[in-house]
Amino acid sequence: MRRVLALATAVVALSLTGSASAATAVRCGDVISGGTVVLDRDLACPAGDGLVVRPDQDVTLDLGGHAISGGGTGDGLRFVTAGAPGGDVVVRDGAIRGFEQGVAIGGILVHAIDLQDLNIRANGTGVSCFTGAHLTISDSVVAANAGHGFVNSRCQSKLIGDQLRANGWSGAVSSQDSLRVVRDSVFANNGSNGLAIDFSVASITGNRFTGNGGAGLTIFEAGCSWFPSYEIADNVADDNAHGGLALRTGMPCDATFVPAGAGNAAKHNGDFQCLVVVCAANRGLAAVDATADVGI
């Protein structure tokens, strides 16, 4: 039977700085429903889930620099529907590896979830979110997962200061009004696209897309009128096998339908450098690509 941990503090341990912190001896499959939990050691879970988060209240899960490791099944962290009143969640400082999904956010969760300073590596999928949560992944590495690094739909999410590298499929895939902000992140050497977005108006600024097997950045929208609602600025795309930076729709659009933003640079990409996105080979020289075929 799974234990349910709802606590503010637990066994007191001395931190490396000499101050007191809470350290909690959790076991594989435990349900965390509120308070602050700090791992006191690595957690090896050869079958099933690592930990389950049911945020009946605010939850802070501090991995304390430790790793949650799996045997190829289950979810490293599995988020499930919270009871009333529900709370926000912070997960920080550690590694999650070896699961079918590193972090799986499901159930009816409409609160804020912050994943900070994590290394989510060598899972089937790195992070998935299919719920109404407000998810932020920051200062984290999502790498070497067999499928997508990050996949989400109808989950209002932000990627800030992250590295999505060497995932078997795309670095990140987002659809249905989900991904809102992508900033200061790196999408490199993924098997398919660096970042693929469908029907999700977003601000995409200051990122690097390099060495991906598909396009660096590819966005598909239902119609041309959505294009000016995007902000695509100060990104660099190079050495992607298929192409650099693209904004597409299933219908022809004229040159007045362009996203906000400038300062994008794209070169040494396969089939195209930029489609619709304002860019040039070098920063500071960006102009609309008049030859872009936006109906592709």
Side-chain angles (χ1 to χ4, degrees):
M1 180 178 297
R2 286 176 172 152
R3 297 182 299 162
V4 177
L5 303 180
L7 49 128
T9 58
V11 179
V12 174
L14 195 65
S15 73
L16 293 177
T17 60
S19 61
S21 63
T24 311
V26 299
R27 297 181 303 201
C28 297
D30 279 352
V31 179
I32 300 171
S33 63
T36 297
V37 174
V38 184
L39 263 62
D40 63 352
R41 67 189 189 285
D42 290 346
L43 191 63
C45 306
D49 297 329
L51 296 173
V52 177
V53 180
R54 190 190 70 205
D56 300 339
Q57 306 169 37
D58 288 351
V59 169
T60 297
L61 174 58
D62 189 338
L63 302 187
H66 296 292
I68 302 175
S69 301
T73 63
D75 304 320
L77 291 179
R78 181 163 64 91
F79 287 73
V80 299
T81 301
D88 298 334
V89 180
V90 175
V91 182
R92 64 187 178 216
D93 187 24
I96 301 169
R97 61 196 181 210
F99 291 92
E100 186 174 354
Q101 298 185 96
V103 179
I105 302 170
I108 303 172
L109 292 169
V110 295
H111 303 286
I113 299 172
D114 287 344
L115 306 180
Q116 306 170 357
D117 193 22
L118 298 176
N119 191 324
I120 302 170
R121 179 180 294 272
N123 303 282
T125 298
V127 180
S128 68
C129 187
F130 299 98
T131 181
H134 293 253
L135 170 65
T136 300
I137 306 175
S138 61
D139 301 317
S140 295
V141 176
V142 184
N145 298 286
H148 297 307
F150 174 48
V151 56
N152 72 325
S153 179
R154 303 188 186 279
C155 175
Q156 297 181 28
S157 56
K158 301 178 182 178
L159 300 174
I160 301 173
D162 300 307
Q163 296 187 42
L164 295 97
R165 295 179 173 273
N167 296 287
W169 297 355
S170 293
V173 175
S174 182
S175 63
Q176 298 300 320
D177 194 27
S178 48
L179 191 59
R180 302 299 178 84
V181 174
V182 185
R183 186 171 72 236
D184 300 332
S185 295
V186 175
F187 299 79
N189 304 119
N190 297 288
S192 184
N193 300 305
L195 172 60
I197 299 176
D198 290 343
F199 313 124
S200 296
V201 172
S203 173
I204 303 169
T205 59
N207 306 286
R208 177 138 196 181
F209 305 91
T210 184
N212 297 288
L217 168 67
T218 179
I219 300 171
F220 185 86
E221 262 300 342
C224 313
S225 60
W226 287 102
F227 289 5
S229 299
Y230 283 84
E231 179 188 17
I232 304 175
D234 300 318
N235 302 286
V236 174
D238 54 25
D239 296 312
N240 298 286
H242 179 49
L245 308 172
L247 183 50
R248 309 168 186 262
T249 183
M251 62 185 70
C253 306
D254 63 46
T256 62
F257 294 102
V258 295
N264 300 294
K267 57 186 176 182
H268 305 314
N269 299 289
D271 297 337
F272 63 87
Q273 304 309 316
C274 293
L275 300 179
V276 180
V277 177
V278 177
C279 75
N282 299 294
R283 288 181 181 273
L285 300 176
V288 175
D289 182 356
T291 65
D293 183 354
V294 298
I296 294 176

